[in-house]
Amino acid sequence: MSELPPIPRPEQRPLPPAGGPRKIVLPPHRQRAGRPFRVKAREWISRNLFPSLGGTILTLISAGFLGIMVVGILWFVFFDANWNVITANRWLLFAGSFPREEAWRLWTSIAVVMFLIGLAYGTWSSLGRRDTLFIVLTGAFVIFLMAHGGATIWSSIWFLVAIGLLYLGYYLTVWMPRETSPRRVWHQRIVGGLLALSLPLVLVILMVAGGANTRQFDGFVLNLILAPVGIVGGLVVAIPLALGRASNMRTIKWTCTAYIEVVRGAPLLGWLFVALFILDDVIGGDLIIRTMVVLAVFTGAYMAEYIRGGLQALPRGQYEAAQAVGLNQLQAMQLIVLPQALRISIPPIVGQAIAIWKDTTLVTIILTLRELKGNADSAIAQSEFIPDRIEAYVFVAVVFWVVAFMMSRISQRVERAQGIGER
Amino acid sequence: MRLPSLKGRRLFSAMLFAGAALIAGAVIGACTSDEDEQQAQATEQQQQQVMQQQQDQPQAQVSGEPRGDTVQLVKDRGVLKCGVKQTQPLFGFREPDGSVVGFDVDFCQAIAEAMEVDLELVDASDASTRFELLADGEIDVLIRTTTITASRDRELGVDFAQTTFYTGQGFAVHAGSGIESTADMGDKTICVQSGTTTEQNLADHFTDLGLSYTPLGGSDQETQDAFLAGRCDVWTADQSNLASRIGVLDNASEFVILGELISKEPLAPGVRDFDSEFKDVVNWVVHGLIAAEEMGITKANVAAMASNPPNTAVARLLGVSFEGGEVSTLGFDSVGAQFIQRAIAAVGNYGEIYENNVGDAVPRACSLNALASEDKSNCPPGTGGIQYALPYR
């Protein structure tokens, strides 16, 4: 048996200069590498696009196709399309039957969520140039929509204030210590707790003291409420399920397996029918509550399997090491196993989150709830907009894409911050 | 904590067994003869009837299953749940401010006002679940361009009130296609909405003609899209629906709506079976609104008419005394004598509802929806209105 290699020690990180201006020092894996060398644009083009006769022809053909597509899209967007169907119906699409005089509750919720997003970015990541560009573009789009639709100037100001709050939250956290320290841990816990509480908080803002009732959640607001409930609720259901399925107590294991296989085996559409016609007699309650339960139960079954994947990917040594240092089961779970398993399962979990975000449109198809896509259908039933169907659907598609893209970007941030894929 | 060791073999054999059991069950189920199924259905229906009759009698609780006494249930709840379409031009759609409006919605409003309760409009846009919603108590009344048919009346646990809108199944074709009647439609592609009476009518009609065709199914709007994009030669739907969707297009002249109708499509409110109390209310609200038009009572003059009725018929309809005479509820004790008056005050008479919602999109004069008493001298032979209120006395 050969001698074991020496255990490599982590390199000492340079400490920030004492007394000087506080500078954020990124850990090494997040520092950007300088560009190794530069290539002149002209050289790059001739080498990659026109390397030979065949290559040149291919380039020209693809450029032609691309050009036709781009021109076609631009022509549609700027000349052909009648975007009045969107601007005139912006309230219907956004909130539908949400009482208009209570709209301040919506704006306040948006502001609170924006502030929390800012806090979260400041705590775990940083806002780069691309994020700013994204925020500016989205903000400009929303404000253009509101101004063009004839909304009062106050809605635009509200939205600007919300964006301002995002940056406020961000800059509030920037001066917090970046190095691991008890203070930072507390800071993270507070922000994490606020994030976890944000959904109930938003529901409280929307509903208490003469606010909306659940029947009035409508349009895009309904998507924005249902999807997080499905995702967060799904995670809450999934963790015990995954642990249960990986357990060696047979009853628990078989119960969890049965749950996962039964729920996963039927389509979401079928489960929504259950919410509409069967859960009515079982748990009662509002249709929207039943829908939330079904979304959480359904997402939970999928996420449980992803987390189990994470558990299985964890080397056995981790479990043994936890036992060796004298941790009991619960501590080992909490401190060693789950953090690593969850980190491994982030990519598929985010995939499922995006899937459930898009699946919220299903509630229109069979339930009596109306969300963004359903309200677009209603908007194009107005006599003056019957011909403008494509515009309405393009708009809905773009909105869904933007949110899904945001989710995907945020997950990439989380992955990078956790150092996934770099070890 | 141990990771699950792969006890693959035992699990696999268990799964195999379960799978085999499932397949065996499915095969046995499929082999059972249709007769058995029908018998099973019949006994189920009988059971349901017995159950419903039992529940008819005593209490109606707000939280309980809404069977039998919908009037009491709605009054206790203080809300009438009305199932409407939210994607149908003219009949049920949504305004930019989020409110639901349309021809059908006005009748919901009239019934709610007649019963002195609030109105909750529930989305019943989906054709395939609408009767389930009614049977399950998610809605109390279904006013959603629904055709009365015998099979629906008998088999789906639904009861229909007076027809609110008469239409028929018509056809739209591309101008210049040379198609002038269904006889020219052999081997053409026809867009038809799935899961509707329209689909069955079309199949029956072409069987009778001895012609074949290619159906292209989908939702209401999908079939419209397919037709406008030229993916089918013919688009069939209720003629009123065709007119409302084609009339507003910029290029409306590129399409022709044929005069031929192949079916009767009387659209009526539906209520749950075994509930004659509630059905009577819905039915007589509709008749009352038609009667109001016949008598010249409008939303604007209903208050004046009620305080000073010109004759006994008006007084009886509005539930007021005529020259100091007695007021009779005509048995409508649960909603009060003036329920029709309240409905008229809220939405106007039948003619006003038609004018406000449908208007010129589907011209009323000489159509089936005109009053039977209209002057038919200008109408083409064979046409003319049949709307006619039953005597309210």
Side-chain angles (χ1 to χ4, degrees):
Chain A
M1 216 170 109
S2 62
E3 213 173 306
L4 287 170
I7 301 166
R9 286 178 179 280
E11 280 171 39
Q12 281 269 306
R13 219 180 277 169
L15 287 170
R22 291 187 82 110
K23 215 175 145 193
I24 300 165
V25 181
L26 294 170
H29 64 269
R30 282 171 55 196
Q31 290 171 5
R32 288 197 178 186
R35 294 200 176 173
F37 56 90
R38 285 178 174 278
V39 185
K40 278 192 183 137
R42 220 164 114 202
E43 203 178 323
W44 186 91
I45 287 172
S46 69
R47 209 188 293 165
N48 289 284
L49 298 182
F50 304 103
S52 63
L53 183 66
T56 309
I57 292 173
L58 273 182
T59 301
L60 288 179
I61 292 177
S62 339
F65 270 121
L66 215 63
I68 291 171
M69 258 174 63
V70 169
V71 169
I73 290 173
L74 289 179
W75 181 263
F76 173 77
V77 169
F78 289 105
F79 299 106
D80 208 15
N82 173 17
W83 295 110
N84 285 345
V85 62
I86 306 302
T87 49
N89 286 296
R90 62 188 193 287
W91 179 263
L92 172 64
L93 295 171
F94 176 60
S97 50
F98 196 91
R100 213 148 187 185
E101 61 279 7
E102 303 290 337
W104 62 271
R105 292 172 188 270
L106 290 173
W107 308 137
T108 313
S109 308
I110 291 175
V112 167
V113 172
M114 288 280 222
F115 179 70
L116 286 176
I117 290 177
L119 277 182
Y121 256 89
T123 309
W124 286 288
S125 187
S126 57
L127 283 173
R129 234 179 309 167
R130 271 192 232 163
D131 302 290
T132 312
L133 185 70
F134 183 76
I135 291 170
V136 168
L137 278 181
T138 320
F141 178 66
V142 171
I143 286 172
F144 171 78
L145 198 66
M146 290 199 283
H148 196 69
T152 55
I153 191 85
W154 283 107
S155 353
S156 304
I157 291 176
W158 256 115
F159 194 73
L160 284 178
V161 167
I163 292 182
L165 276 171
L166 190 150
Y167 278 95
L168 177 72
Y170 181 64
Y171 285 111
L172 270 181
T173 49
V174 163
W175 53 267
M176 289 303 292
R178 308 297 277 190
E179 310 82 39
T180 312
S181 69
R183 252 182 89 197
R184 178 162 168 79
V185 169
W186 269 109
H187 167 73
Q188 288 180 335
R189 278 191 192 159
I190 291 172
V191 176
L194 281 177
L195 273 183
L197 280 178
S198 62
L199 188 65
L201 186 67
V202 163
L203 287 179
V204 164
I205 294 175
L206 291 181
M207 294 174 70
V208 292
N213 61 45
T214 48
R215 280 267 171 196
Q216 289 167 326
F217 290 153
D218 198 342
F220 192 50
V221 171
L222 184 64
N223 297 101
L224 288 179
I225 290 174
L226 283 182
V229 169
I231 295 163
V232 177
L235 264 180
V236 171
V237 175
I239 293 172
L241 272 180
L243 294 177
R245 194 170 183 179
S247 149
N248 40 22
M249 278 180 273
R250 197 162 288 176
T251 332
I252 295 180
K253 180 177 173 172
W254 281 80
T255 316
C256 294
T257 311
Y259 173 101
I260 292 170
E261 296 305 337
V262 167
V263 171
R264 220 166 43 144
L268 179 56
L269 207 60
W271 290 115
L272 288 176
F273 269 113
V274 169
L276 181 59
F277 292 125
I278 298 174
L279 277 189
D280 189 16
D281 306 325
V282 181
I283 60 171
D286 249 348
L287 178 61
I288 193 167
I289 309 279
R290 286 180 259 150
T291 311
M292 287 174 174
V293 169
V294 161
L295 282 178
V297 161
F298 183 81
T299 321
Y302 276 87
M303 287 188 174
E305 284 298 90
Y306 300 142
I307 295 173
R308 192 169 66 97
L311 288 174
Q312 285 180 348
L314 218 53
R316 249 194 129 82
Q318 294 289 322
Y319 296 90
E320 286 161 1
Q323 280 180 340
V325 295
L327 297 179
N328 64 28
Q329 280 255 1
L330 194 70
Q331 287 171 322
M333 245 340 119
Q334 197 188 338
L335 298 172
I336 310 290
V337 178
L338 271 185
Q340 299 188 69
L342 286 179
R343 198 162 65 178
I344 296 171
S345 10
I346 285 175
I349 284 180
V350 172
Q352 182 61 27
I354 290 177
I356 207 75
W357 160 247
K358 291 180 292 185
D359 282 350
T360 52
T361 47
L362 288 179
V363 302
T364 288
I365 298 182
I366 66 143
L367 301 184
T368 56
L369 303 172
R370 306 299 295 177
E371 47 66 67
L372 179 61
K373 153 75 171 58
N375 286 6
D377 283 338
S378 298
I380 52 181
Q382 297 162 7
S383 294
E384 65 269 40
F385 296 127
I386 287 179
D388 303 326
R389 318 163 40 68
I390 309 286
E391 288 86 334
Y393 290 147
V394 164
F395 175 79
V396 171
V398 167
V399 169
F400 271 96
W401 179 82
V402 166
V403 176
F405 182 69
M406 263 165 61
M407 284 160 80
S408 138
R409 296 297 301 180
I410 289 174
S411 93
Q412 282 178 21
R413 279 299 166 82
V414 175
E415 284 171 36
R416 217 178 304 151
Q418 300 278 350
I420 297 167
E422 302 191 17
R423 282 166 308 159
Chain B
M1 173 78 196
R2 252 182 55 206
L3 271 179
S5 61
L6 285 176
K7 286 180 189 159
R9 212 164 286 171
R10 201 191 285 174
L11 190 67
F12 184 66
S13 56
M15 277 167 61
L16 259 188
F17 180 74
L22 264 180
I23 293 171
V27 169
I28 293 171
C31 290
T32 326
S33 70
D34 285 351
E35 256 173 59
D36 288 354
E37 238 169 69
Q38 281 170 2
Q39 276 175 5
Q41 273 182 4
T43 44
E44 213 178 285
Q45 277 179 1
Q46 279 166 8
Q47 279 173 356
Q48 270 181 2
Q49 285 179 15
V50 171
M51 273 172 61
Q52 277 163 347
Q53 278 160 3
Q54 280 171 349
Q55 284 175 351
D56 259 0
Q57 278 113 33
Q59 22 72 358
Q61 292 170 348
V62 182
S63 58
E65 271 289 279
R67 292 272 188 278
D69 196 357
T70 309
V71 174
Q72 195 57 44
L73 179 103
V74 167
K75 293 206 128 211
D76 289 347
R77 195 203 285 136
V79 174
L80 175 78
K81 291 188 187 174
C82 191
V84 292
K85 228 174 163 183
Q86 299 195 352
T87 53
Q88 172 88 44
L90 313 180
F91 287 85
F93 62 99
R94 301 182 77 178
E95 291 282 16
D97 66 359
S99 58
V100 185
V101 294
F103 183 81
D104 288 343
V105 178
D106 275 0
F107 282 95
C108 292
Q109 185 71 39
I111 297 164
E113 292 293 332
M115 300 177 75
E116 292 181 287
V117 292
D118 292 334
L119 175 63
E120 180 180 323
L121 294 164
V122 178
D123 176 30
S125 298
D126 184 32
S128 50
T129 55
R130 53 185 155 170
F131 299 111
E132 295 290 325
L133 290 175
L134 187 64
D136 210 58
E138 293 286 331
I139 56 178
D140 302 311
V141 54
L142 176 75
I143 311 186
R144 188 211 158 277
T145 58
T146 300
T147 305
I148 309 178
T149 69
S151 61
R152 280 175 176 176
D153 200 2
R154 290 299 301 158
E155 291 166 4
L156 291 179
V158 60
D159 230 354
F160 290 100
Q162 164 67 15
T163 300
T164 54
F165 195 91
Y166 291 101
T167 182
Q169 183 171 346
F171 295 87
V173 298
H174 298 272
S177 65
I179 302 174
E180 284 172 1
S181 76
T182 47
D184 303 331
M185 292 180 195
D187 300 321
K188 301 284 186 196
T189 306
I190 301 180
C191 280
V192 55
Q193 191 189 348
S194 317
T196 56
T197 49
T198 318
E199 202 179 15
Q200 301 161 10
N201 292 336
L202 185 70
D204 291 350
H205 186 72
F206 274 75
T207 312
D208 294 345
L209 286 178
L211 293 175
S212 64
Y213 66 99
T214 315
L216 189 62
S219 75
D220 212 4
Q221 292 181 338
E222 283 161 5
T223 51
Q224 175 191 355
D225 261 3
F227 174 70
L228 297 184
R231 289 200 293 278
C232 47
D233 309 301
V234 182
W235 176 23
T236 182
D238 289 353
Q239 205 179 39
S240 55
N241 192 6
L242 295 177
S244 67
R245 285 176 186 273
I246 288 181
V248 294
L249 299 177
D250 294 334
N251 54 350
S253 58
E254 292 173 25
F255 310 101
V256 179
I257 298 175
L258 303 182
E260 183 180 0
L261 294 180
I262 63 162
S263 74
K264 298 171 188 166
E265 305 286 340
L267 312 179
V271 297
R272 273 182 291 278
D273 252 339
F274 309 109
D275 193 352
S276 58
E277 175 87 19
F278 184 58
K279 188 196 156 184
D280 286 346
V281 171
V282 173
N283 205 12
W284 283 99
V285 166
V286 178
H287 279 301
L289 295 176
I290 300 171
E293 189 186 6
E294 291 174 343
M295 297 178 190
I297 308 172
T298 63
K299 187 176 178 175
N301 71 11
V302 64
M305 287 275 211
S307 59
N308 187 17
N311 56 43
T312 45
V314 170
R316 211 179 294 119
L317 187 70
L318 300 182
V320 295
S321 153
F322 181 65
E323 293 176 352
E326 206 178 313
V327 179
S328 167
T329 62
L330 300 186
F332 285 101
D333 297 307
S334 57
V335 287
Q338 303 188 341
F339 72 109
I340 295 179
Q341 182 188 332
R342 287 192 293 272
I344 301 168
V347 295
N349 65 35
Y350 180 85
E352 288 177 282
I353 295 175
Y354 195 103
E355 194 51 43
N356 291 340
N357 293 292
V358 181
D360 296 334
V362 185
R364 186 175 176 215
C366 300
S367 80
L368 292 174
N369 293 304
L371 289 181
S373 55
E374 80 167 337
D375 177 15
K376 295 195 177 63
S377 54
N378 293 329
C379 297
T383 63
I386 58 169
Q387 277 290 16
Y388 169 92
L390 300 184
Y392 187 77
R393 61 171 180 257

